[in-house]
Amino acid sequence: MINLENVNVEFGEFKALHNINCSINAKDFILILGHNGAGKSTLLDVISGRLTPSSGKILRNNVDISLLSEAKRARFISRVFQNTNMGSVATMTVAENLAMATLKCKTAGFNFAIKNFPQQIVEETLKPLGLRLEELLNTPIGKLSGGQRQIITIIMATLCEPDILLLDEPTAALDPVSTENLLQFVHNFTKNRNMATMMITHAEQQAKFLANRTWVLQKGKLESN
Amino acid sequence: MLSFLPVVVGILERGFIGAFIVMAIYLASRVMKFDDFSIEGTFGLGGAVVAWSLLHNTNPWLALLLGCIAGGISGCITGLLHTKLGLNKLIAGIVVTTMLFSVSINIGGANVALGNAPTVFSALHNSSFASLILLASMALAVAFIFIWYMKTESGFILKSTGINEQFVTSLGKSVPLYITLSLIMANALSALAGGIFVQYSGFFSAFGNVGILIAALAGCMIAELIAINMFIMALFGSIIYQLIIAITIELQVEPSWQKLITGLLIVVILVVKKLENKKIKGSVAA
């Protein structure tokens, strides 16, 4: 589905990514491990379009998307950051944020989405979780706990069924209990979907039950694939 | 009591004209988090375009529309300087407002009286409240248009861009487009205010816009102190600001001190806000 061919990212003399070759297939759950500064986030930056590779190609279904902007890639690549503030608008309610997230696939107009779509999400996504998030629809998302907000952010990132979901240390700002809940949620949420998931995490032991592949990055090089 | 009436009407009229710029400041500075200096320049540009148009026998409403378009184009240039050329927000605004001074003076001249040229107020001379009603209606109409717009898809994305650009990018929307769009609207509003002011006062001065940004900022900050809906409160903020200026005139303070008073007013509002925040934090801690 997505292939990286000889991808390099250089910042002056510093090589952040060195000759990366890999492929990501549908339904893959890839755990990305490595020390700080190993190039994990840079790898996700390059895939999501936040960074343009210095050389090499990123192919989606054999079409080169290396020069496609981040906004254009957002139609098929969703990303969730460790900072829970980055994936939503804190002053808007949960319902408004969810409605905004539907704009990416534009299955309905926004006015329709704001009135009807949250109800659909309530029935199909929020209620089955059993976390009572459906009771918080009219609460500004900034008032939710970090764990609740991250779960909503992941739901928002997947509403339009992307090819790949990129999770950049989604548990970094969470306490151990919330981390456990979030990982369980990610497991339940991704297993029946036809998308690939890549997750950077330092909670390796807690998260390894999720993955079918594990990549280790060291000094910008993909050591195991 | 009756002698006060024209003063009160004057305050309200100037307040409603100022409300357009307060809304412009709110849109650029608060919604988009873009402190746009060019709003000062487009107030002058709007006035210049309207003055030139009226002196060339243009319909006064069409003249206002031309002024708005000119303001919108200026806002677009500020937006492009920032989003495409990477110029700092503040510098982009200063560059455009500096260029607009030359443009305005070449379009409208340094000081121009409209003479007998028809304005939107020409037909209203017989009634003492007609100008006030017209200005209030226009300000309210624009405020309600913006309240409606902010609830649309485009309005939500625009608001989101000011709060979280990364979120808007992740929706597949263009952040530069929405930054530029907000500046187009803000500068069109400012030019509209300039155009209305020229028609209201009957003259255009190339220096008439100096300090208008800071006056509008004061109005915006007053509005924020009493905010329920900012676009409605912009009207009150602007009127209260005009009231404060009128009181200083009544107290026989020299007009040359007006800019200093406006600056001090902003400082006072900041102190009040700071004290209020402390009070809120104190009560939460207790």
Side-chain angles (χ1 to χ4, degrees), chain A residues 41-96:
Chain A
S41 291
T42 308
L43 179 63
L44 296 199
D45 282 345
V46 157
I47 294 171
S48 68
R50 254 190 146 196
L51 274 179
T52 308
S54 309
S55 61
K57 280 182 185 172
I58 300 162
L59 305 170
R60 178 191 179 232
N61 301 330
N62 297 321
V63 177
D64 190 357
I65 58 165
S66 310
L67 298 177
L68 213 58
S69 71
E70 187 182 9
K72 287 191 174 145
R73 281 190 221 184
R75 273 179 280 140
F76 48 86
I77 299 175
S78 284
R79 186 166 183 183
V80 174
F81 295 88
Q82 58 175 287
N83 181 350
T84 53
N85 295 325
M86 287 178 82
S88 55
V89 180
T91 52
M92 291 184 189
T93 64
V94 172
E96 285 168 343

Tab-separated table of all heavy atoms in Angstrom, chain A residues 41-96:
chain	number	residue	atom	x	y	z
A	41	SER	N	9.870	10.093	15.008
A	41	SER	CA	8.888	11.108	14.604
A	41	SER	C	9.186	11.642	13.216
A	41	SER	O	8.260	11.972	12.458
A	41	SER	CB	8.873	12.266	15.611
A	41	SER	OG	8.331	11.825	16.831
A	42	THR	N	10.479	11.706	12.861
A	42	THR	CA	10.848	12.178	11.514
A	42	THR	C	10.284	11.224	10.466
A	42	THR	O	9.814	11.656	9.411
A	42	THR	CB	12.389	12.269	11.386
A	42	THR	OG1	12.878	13.041	12.476
A	42	THR	CG2	12.800	12.916	10.081
A	43	LEU	N	10.318	9.918	10.778
A	43	LEU	CA	9.762	8.932	9.849
A	43	LEU	C	8.267	9.198	9.626
A	43	LEU	O	7.786	9.201	8.485
A	43	LEU	CB	9.981	7.513	10.401
A	43	LEU	CG	9.422	6.371	9.560
A	43	LEU	CD1	10.108	6.303	8.201
A	43	LEU	CD2	9.571	5.030	10.279
A	44	LEU	N	7.544	9.455	10.733
A	44	LEU	CA	6.108	9.748	10.587
A	44	LEU	C	5.900	11.089	9.874
A	44	LEU	O	4.954	11.254	9.101
A	44	LEU	CB	5.419	9.765	11.961
A	44	LEU	CG	5.386	8.457	12.761
A	44	LEU	CD1	4.295	8.520	13.827
A	44	LEU	CD2	5.162	7.226	11.899
A	45	ASP	N	6.793	12.054	10.147
A	45	ASP	CA	6.708	13.360	9.463
A	45	ASP	C	6.815	13.190	7.949
A	45	ASP	O	6.093	13.837	7.185
A	45	ASP	CB	7.841	14.287	9.931
A	45	ASP	CG	7.564	14.903	11.299
A	45	ASP	OD1	6.399	14.840	11.743
A	45	ASP	OD2	8.498	15.436	11.927
A	46	VAL	N	7.731	12.325	7.530
A	46	VAL	CA	7.950	12.113	6.095
A	46	VAL	C	6.750	11.402	5.471
A	46	VAL	O	6.297	11.743	4.374
A	46	VAL	CB	9.255	11.310	5.884
A	46	VAL	CG1	9.254	10.597	4.557
A	46	VAL	CG2	10.440	12.238	5.953
A	47	ILE	N	6.200	10.434	6.189
A	47	ILE	CA	5.045	9.695	5.644
A	47	ILE	C	3.812	10.605	5.567
A	47	ILE	O	3.082	10.596	4.585
A	47	ILE	CB	4.749	8.431	6.488
A	47	ILE	CG1	5.912	7.440	6.367
A	47	ILE	CG2	3.449	7.761	6.048
A	47	ILE	CD1	5.834	6.251	7.318
A	48	SER	N	3.634	11.427	6.625
A	48	SER	CA	2.428	12.270	6.651
A	48	SER	C	2.550	13.504	5.764
A	48	SER	O	1.546	14.147	5.451
A	48	SER	CB	2.137	12.727	8.088
A	48	SER	OG	3.142	13.620	8.531
A	49	GLY	N	3.781	13.843	5.362
A	49	GLY	CA	3.948	15.009	4.485
A	49	GLY	C	4.343	16.266	5.222
A	49	GLY	O	4.454	17.331	4.629
A	50	ARG	N	4.583	16.158	6.519
A	50	ARG	CA	5.052	17.324	7.275
A	50	ARG	C	6.458	17.705	6.831
A	50	ARG	O	6.840	18.858	6.893
A	50	ARG	CB	5.091	16.977	8.767
A	50	ARG	CG	3.982	17.608	9.537
A	50	ARG	CD	4.209	17.436	11.019
A	50	ARG	NE	3.709	18.613	11.703
A	50	ARG	CZ	4.006	18.939	12.917
A	50	ARG	NH1	4.832	18.206	13.615
A	50	ARG	NH2	3.495	20.012	13.468
A	51	LEU	N	7.219	16.690	6.437
A	51	LEU	CA	8.581	16.903	5.937
A	51	LEU	C	8.701	16.322	4.541
A	51	LEU	O	8.112	15.277	4.257
A	51	LEU	CB	9.588	16.172	6.836
A	51	LEU	CG	10.122	16.846	8.085
A	51	LEU	CD1	11.064	15.890	8.795
A	51	LEU	CD2	10.828	18.148	7.762
A	52	THR	N	9.444	17.008	3.686
A	52	THR	CA	9.723	16.451	2.364
A	52	THR	C	11.071	15.743	2.444
A	52	THR	O	12.025	16.313	2.976
A	52	THR	CB	9.798	17.585	1.326
A	52	THR	OG1	8.617	18.368	1.446
A	52	THR	CG2	9.902	17.048	-0.090
A	53	PRO	N	11.162	14.511	1.949
A	53	PRO	CA	12.458	13.820	2.029
A	53	PRO	C	13.521	14.538	1.194
A	53	PRO	O	13.216	15.101	0.142
A	53	PRO	CB	12.151	12.430	1.479
A	53	PRO	CG	10.860	12.533	0.765
A	53	PRO	CD	10.118	13.691	1.324
A	54	SER	N	14.769	14.504	1.685
A	54	SER	CA	15.870	15.109	0.918
A	54	SER	C	16.103	14.320	-0.363
A	54	SER	O	16.454	14.875	-1.398
A	54	SER	CB	17.142	15.109	1.763
A	54	SER	OG	16.885	15.676	3.020
A	55	SER	N	15.921	13.011	-0.281
A	55	SER	CA	15.962	12.170	-1.486
A	55	SER	C	15.152	10.907	-1.222
A	55	SER	O	14.804	10.602	-0.081
A	55	SER	CB	17.410	11.810	-1.832
A	55	SER	OG	17.988	11.085	-0.768
A	56	GLY	N	14.847	10.191	-2.280
A	56	GLY	CA	14.046	8.977	-2.136
A	56	GLY	C	12.586	9.221	-2.491
A	56	GLY	O	12.188	10.355	-2.789
A	57	LYS	N	11.833	8.143	-2.470
A	57	LYS	CA	10.430	8.222	-2.896
A	57	LYS	C	9.490	7.617	-1.857
A	57	LYS	O	9.851	6.645	-1.186
A	57	LYS	CB	10.240	7.433	-4.202
A	57	LYS	CG	10.677	8.156	-5.444
A	57	LYS	CD	10.386	7.268	-6.637
A	57	LYS	CE	10.928	7.908	-7.920
A	57	LYS	NZ	10.818	6.978	-9.038
A	58	ILE	N	8.289	8.188	-1.794
A	58	ILE	CA	7.217	7.569	-1.005
A	58	ILE	C	6.110	7.225	-2.004
A	58	ILE	O	5.626	8.116	-2.716
A	58	ILE	CB	6.698	8.526	0.080
A	58	ILE	CG1	7.849	8.885	1.020
A	58	ILE	CG2	5.541	7.906	0.856
A	58	ILE	CD1	7.596	10.105	1.831
A	59	LEU	N	5.796	5.950	-2.085
A	59	LEU	CA	4.807	5.511	-3.074
A	59	LEU	C	3.536	5.039	-2.381
A	59	LEU	O	3.601	4.341	-1.367
A	59	LEU	CB	5.362	4.360	-3.920
A	59	LEU	CG	6.693	4.611	-4.634
A	59	LEU	CD1	7.223	3.311	-5.233
A	59	LEU	CD2	6.518	5.650	-5.729
A	60	ARG	N	2.403	5.469	-2.927
A	60	ARG	CA	1.120	4.947	-2.436
A	60	ARG	C	0.466	4.231	-3.613
A	60	ARG	O	0.178	4.859	-4.626
A	60	ARG	CB	0.228	6.098	-1.972
A	60	ARG	CG	-1.139	5.617	-1.504
A	60	ARG	CD	-2.082	6.781	-1.318
A	60	ARG	NE	-3.375	6.337	-0.902
A	60	ARG	CZ	-4.515	6.686	-1.507
A	60	ARG	NH1	-4.507	7.484	-2.560
A	60	ARG	NH2	-5.669	6.235	-1.063
A	61	ASN	N	0.261	2.956	-3.466
A	61	ASN	CA	-0.243	2.130	-4.572
A	61	ASN	C	0.540	2.416	-5.851
A	61	ASN	O	-0.035	2.662	-6.918
A	61	ASN	CB	-1.743	2.370	-4.783
A	61	ASN	CG	-2.540	2.036	-3.540
A	61	ASN	OD1	-2.160	1.164	-2.760
A	61	ASN	ND2	-3.645	2.747	-3.330
A	62	ASN	N	1.853	2.475	-5.686
A	62	ASN	CA	2.808	2.696	-6.784
A	62	ASN	C	2.767	4.097	-7.403
A	62	ASN	O	3.328	4.327	-8.465
A	62	ASN	CB	2.632	1.645	-7.887
A	62	ASN	CG	2.931	0.244	-7.364
A	62	ASN	OD1	3.865	0.070	-6.574
A	62	ASN	ND2	2.127	-0.725	-7.752
A	63	VAL	N	2.071	5.022	-6.757
A	63	VAL	CA	2.072	6.418	-7.231
A	63	VAL	C	2.943	7.240	-6.273
A	63	VAL	O	2.790	7.144	-5.051
A	63	VAL	CB	0.632	6.998	-7.257
A	63	VAL	CG1	0.655	8.467	-7.679
A	63	VAL	CG2	-0.250	6.176	-8.175
A	64	ASP	N	3.861	8.027	-6.829
A	64	ASP	CA	4.783	8.812	-6.009
A	64	ASP	C	4.033	9.976	-5.338
A	64	ASP	O	3.447	10.824	-6.016
A	64	ASP	CB	5.909	9.358	-6.897
A	64	ASP	CG	7.026	9.977	-6.073
A	64	ASP	OD1	6.887	10.033	-4.835
A	64	ASP	OD2	8.033	10.395	-6.672
A	65	ILE	N	4.034	9.982	-4.020
A	65	ILE	CA	3.346	11.056	-3.297
A	65	ILE	C	4.354	11.925	-2.516
A	65	ILE	O	3.960	12.717	-1.662
A	65	ILE	CB	2.268	10.499	-2.326
A	65	ILE	CG1	2.901	9.529	-1.304
A	65	ILE	CG2	1.122	9.859	-3.076
A	65	ILE	CD1	2.004	9.234	-0.118
A	66	SER	N	5.629	11.776	-2.838
A	66	SER	CA	6.673	12.467	-2.068
A	66	SER	C	6.459	13.981	-2.007
A	66	SER	O	6.790	14.619	-1.021
A	66	SER	CB	8.042	12.200	-2.675
A	66	SER	OG	8.228	10.833	-2.868
A	67	LEU	N	5.941	14.561	-3.077
A	67	LEU	CA	5.814	16.020	-3.118
A	67	LEU	C	4.393	16.499	-2.799
A	67	LEU	O	4.104	17.690	-2.872
A	67	LEU	CB	6.241	16.549	-4.495
A	67	LEU	CG	7.714	16.271	-4.854
A	67	LEU	CD1	8.030	16.748	-6.260
A	67	LEU	CD2	8.662	16.937	-3.848
A	68	LEU	N	3.524	15.558	-2.428
A	68	LEU	CA	2.146	15.935	-2.083
A	68	LEU	C	2.134	16.609	-0.710
A	68	LEU	O	2.807	16.150	0.212
A	68	LEU	CB	1.293	14.655	-2.044
A	68	LEU	CG	-0.167	14.743	-2.455
A	68	LEU	CD1	-0.302	15.277	-3.874
A	68	LEU	CD2	-0.811	13.361	-2.367
A	69	SER	N	1.389	17.718	-0.574
A	69	SER	CA	1.389	18.450	0.696
A	69	SER	C	0.732	17.623	1.803
A	69	SER	O	-0.023	16.676	1.531
A	69	SER	CB	0.635	19.767	0.548
A	69	SER	OG	-0.746	19.509	0.424
A	70	GLU	N	1.005	18.020	3.037
A	70	GLU	CA	0.432	17.322	4.192
A	70	GLU	C	-1.099	17.373	4.150
A	70	GLU	O	-1.773	16.384	4.432
A	70	GLU	CB	0.945	17.981	5.486
A	70	GLU	CG	0.551	17.232	6.737
A	70	GLU	CD	1.017	17.927	8.001
A	70	GLU	OE1	1.499	19.074	7.929
A	70	GLU	OE2	0.889	17.321	9.080
A	71	ALA	N	-1.645	18.542	3.765
A	71	ALA	CA	-3.106	18.690	3.715
A	71	ALA	C	-3.715	17.733	2.690
A	71	ALA	O	-4.776	17.148	2.929
A	71	ALA	CB	-3.471	20.133	3.383
A	72	LYS	N	-3.037	17.559	1.550
A	72	LYS	CA	-3.581	16.656	0.525
A	72	LYS	C	-3.436	15.198	0.940
A	72	LYS	O	-4.296	14.375	0.651
A	72	LYS	CB	-2.905	16.922	-0.816
A	72	LYS	CG	-3.412	18.234	-1.411
A	72	LYS	CD	-2.994	18.437	-2.829
A	72	LYS	CE	-3.687	19.715	-3.347
A	72	LYS	NZ	-2.865	20.454	-4.273
A	73	ARG	N	-2.333	14.882	1.626
A	73	ARG	CA	-2.152	13.496	2.082
A	73	ARG	C	-3.130	13.145	3.214
A	73	ARG	O	-3.365	11.979	3.494
A	73	ARG	CB	-0.724	13.285	2.594
A	73	ARG	CG	0.264	13.099	1.483
A	73	ARG	CD	1.593	12.660	2.021
A	73	ARG	NE	2.670	13.342	1.337
A	73	ARG	CZ	3.953	13.101	1.556
A	73	ARG	NH1	4.306	12.217	2.455
A	73	ARG	NH2	4.877	13.759	0.907
A	74	ALA	N	-3.656	14.188	3.871
A	74	ALA	CA	-4.545	13.951	5.020
A	74	ALA	C	-5.774	13.142	4.633
A	74	ALA	O	-6.409	12.529	5.479
A	74	ALA	CB	-4.959	15.283	5.631
A	75	ARG	N	-6.113	13.138	3.338
A	75	ARG	CA	-7.277	12.354	2.890
A	75	ARG	C	-7.072	10.862	3.108
A	75	ARG	O	-8.022	10.115	3.289
A	75	ARG	CB	-7.567	12.635	1.407
A	75	ARG	CG	-8.463	13.844	1.208
A	75	ARG	CD	-8.696	14.095	-0.255
A	75	ARG	NE	-7.551	14.793	-0.832
A	75	ARG	CZ	-7.045	14.528	-2.028
A	75	ARG	NH1	-7.548	13.592	-2.765
A	75	ARG	NH2	-6.008	15.212	-2.481
A	76	PHE	N	-5.821	10.417	3.074
A	76	PHE	CA	-5.595	8.973	3.260
A	76	PHE	C	-4.587	8.642	4.352
A	76	PHE	O	-4.322	7.477	4.619
A	76	PHE	CB	-5.200	8.307	1.921
A	76	PHE	CG	-4.130	9.030	1.162
A	76	PHE	CD1	-2.798	8.790	1.430
A	76	PHE	CD2	-4.468	9.949	0.189
A	76	PHE	CE1	-1.803	9.456	0.728
A	76	PHE	CE2	-3.475	10.618	-0.516
A	76	PHE	CZ	-2.141	10.375	-0.249
A	77	ILE	N	-3.985	9.685	4.970
A	77	ILE	CA	-3.080	9.433	6.094
A	77	ILE	C	-3.520	10.291	7.268
A	77	ILE	O	-3.574	11.518	7.167
A	77	ILE	CB	-1.608	9.773	5.723
A	77	ILE	CG1	-1.142	8.891	4.555
A	77	ILE	CG2	-0.705	9.608	6.941
A	77	ILE	CD1	0.240	9.225	4.032
A	78	SER	N	-3.862	9.676	8.372
A	78	SER	CA	-4.264	10.431	9.571
A	78	SER	C	-3.187	10.301	10.627
A	78	SER	O	-2.553	9.255	10.750
A	78	SER	CB	-5.573	9.882	10.135
A	78	SER	OG	-6.638	10.310	9.360
A	79	ARG	N	-3.022	11.363	11.393
A	79	ARG	CA	-1.967	11.332	12.399
A	79	ARG	C	-2.497	11.820	13.736
A	79	ARG	O	-3.254	12.781	13.803
A	79	ARG	CB	-0.812	12.232	11.948
A	79	ARG	CG	0.389	12.147	12.868
A	79	ARG	CD	1.605	12.769	12.224
A	79	ARG	NE	2.762	12.632	13.083
A	79	ARG	CZ	3.945	13.136	12.811
A	79	ARG	NH1	4.133	13.805	11.703
A	79	ARG	NH2	4.963	12.975	13.638
A	80	VAL	N	-2.077	11.154	14.786
A	80	VAL	CA	-2.420	11.570	16.147
A	80	VAL	C	-1.105	11.859	16.877
A	80	VAL	O	-0.195	11.030	16.867
A	80	VAL	CB	-3.213	10.469	16.886
A	80	VAL	CG1	-3.437	10.838	18.343
A	80	VAL	CG2	-4.547	10.222	16.193
A	81	PHE	N	-1.025	13.046	17.473
A	81	PHE	CA	0.220	13.461	18.131
A	81	PHE	C	0.189	13.145	19.625
A	81	PHE	O	-0.870	12.954	20.212
A	81	PHE	CB	0.429	14.964	17.938
A	81	PHE	CG	0.635	15.358	16.502
A	81	PHE	CD1	-0.443	15.645	15.679
A	81	PHE	CD2	1.905	15.432	15.960
A	81	PHE	CE1	-0.270	15.998	14.358
A	81	PHE	CE2	2.098	15.790	14.632
A	81	PHE	CZ	1.005	16.068	13.832
A	82	GLN	N	1.386	13.165	20.232
A	82	GLN	CA	1.433	12.914	21.682
A	82	GLN	C	0.786	14.064	22.446
A	82	GLN	O	0.193	13.849	23.500
A	82	GLN	CB	2.865	12.694	22.151
A	82	GLN	CG	3.826	13.817	21.882
A	82	GLN	CD	5.193	13.534	22.492
A	82	GLN	OE1	5.376	13.603	23.688
A	82	GLN	NE2	6.155	13.216	21.650
A	83	ASN	N	0.901	15.288	21.906
A	83	ASN	CA	0.263	16.434	22.536
A	83	ASN	C	-1.223	16.414	22.180
A	83	ASN	O	-1.595	16.613	21.020
A	83	ASN	CB	0.934	17.716	22.020
A	83	ASN	CG	0.340	18.959	22.642
A	83	ASN	OD1	-0.688	18.899	23.319
A	83	ASN	ND2	0.990	20.081	22.424
A	84	THR	N	-2.045	16.173	23.188
A	84	THR	CA	-3.482	16.003	22.920
A	84	THR	C	-4.122	17.275	22.366
A	84	THR	O	-5.193	17.220	21.783
A	84	THR	CB	-4.237	15.578	24.201
A	84	THR	OG1	-3.915	16.504	25.230
A	84	THR	CG2	-3.853	14.193	24.627
A	85	ASN	N	-3.454	18.429	22.548
A	85	ASN	CA	-4.012	19.688	22.034
A	85	ASN	C	-3.953	19.772	20.510
A	85	ASN	O	-4.671	20.558	19.908
A	85	ASN	CB	-3.232	20.884	22.595
A	85	ASN	CG	-3.398	20.995	24.088
A	85	ASN	OD1	-4.461	20.697	24.614
A	85	ASN	ND2	-2.348	21.395	24.773
A	86	MET	N	-3.063	18.975	19.893
A	86	MET	CA	-2.837	19.153	18.456
A	86	MET	C	-3.902	18.527	17.567
A	86	MET	O	-4.047	18.903	16.411
A	86	MET	CB	-1.454	18.608	18.076
A	86	MET	CG	-0.340	19.506	18.567
A	86	MET	SD	1.274	18.865	18.197
A	86	MET	CE	1.481	19.384	16.496
A	87	GLY	N	-4.653	17.584	18.116
A	87	GLY	CA	-5.597	16.865	17.261
A	87	GLY	C	-7.017	17.370	17.310
A	87	GLY	O	-7.903	16.805	16.665
A	88	SER	N	-7.263	18.431	18.064
A	88	SER	CA	-8.637	18.921	18.179
A	88	SER	C	-8.612	20.408	18.531
A	88	SER	O	-7.559	20.967	18.787
A	88	SER	CB	-9.383	18.137	19.265
A	88	SER	OG	-8.657	18.207	20.484
A	89	VAL	N	-9.788	21.019	18.550
A	89	VAL	CA	-9.881	22.433	18.915
A	89	VAL	C	-10.480	22.514	20.311
A	89	VAL	O	-11.664	22.198	20.518
A	89	VAL	CB	-10.739	23.217	17.905
A	89	VAL	CG1	-10.816	24.687	18.292
A	89	VAL	CG2	-10.139	23.079	16.515
A	90	ALA	N	-9.651	22.922	21.272
A	90	ALA	CA	-10.022	22.827	22.686
A	90	ALA	C	-11.314	23.560	23.035
A	90	ALA	O	-12.094	23.090	23.863
A	90	ALA	CB	-8.872	23.368	23.534
A	91	THR	N	-11.562	24.699	22.376
A	91	THR	CA	-12.729	25.506	22.758
A	91	THR	C	-14.035	24.985	22.162
A	91	THR	O	-15.109	25.393	22.570
A	91	THR	CB	-12.534	26.964	22.311
A	91	THR	OG1	-12.191	26.945	20.925
A	91	THR	CG2	-11.432	27.644	23.107
A	92	MET	N	-13.933	24.089	21.186
A	92	MET	CA	-15.151	23.553	20.566
A	92	MET	C	-15.594	22.295	21.311
A	92	MET	O	-14.776	21.598	21.918
A	92	MET	CB	-14.893	23.217	19.099
A	92	MET	CG	-14.688	24.454	18.252
A	92	MET	SD	-14.510	24.003	16.523
A	92	MET	CE	-14.018	25.567	15.829
A	93	THR	N	-16.879	22.010	21.197
A	93	THR	CA	-17.403	20.845	21.907
A	93	THR	C	-16.944	19.551	21.215
A	93	THR	O	-16.463	19.580	20.078
A	93	THR	CB	-18.949	20.847	21.926
A	93	THR	OG1	-19.398	20.719	20.575
A	93	THR	CG2	-19.501	22.116	22.532
A	94	VAL	N	-17.145	18.443	21.915
A	94	VAL	CA	-16.803	17.136	21.352
A	94	VAL	C	-17.585	16.918	20.050
A	94	VAL	O	-17.021	16.493	19.031
A	94	VAL	CB	-17.131	16.017	22.367
A	94	VAL	CG1	-16.967	14.643	21.734
A	94	VAL	CG2	-16.244	16.149	23.600
A	95	ALA	N	-18.890	17.265	20.065
A	95	ALA	CA	-19.727	17.078	18.866
A	95	ALA	C	-19.206	17.916	17.706
A	95	ALA	O	-19.137	17.436	16.565
A	95	ALA	CB	-21.170	17.462	19.181
A	96	GLU	N	-18.830	19.166	18.002
A	96	GLU	CA	-18.329	20.030	16.924
A	96	GLU	C	-17.016	19.497	16.351
A	96	GLU	O	-16.796	19.515	15.144
A	96	GLU	CB	-18.135	21.463	17.449
A	96	GLU	CG	-19.447	22.208	17.640
A	96	GLU	CD	-19.311	23.507	18.409
A	96	GLU	OE1	-18.276	23.720	19.084
A	96	GLU	OE2	-20.258	24.311	18.369
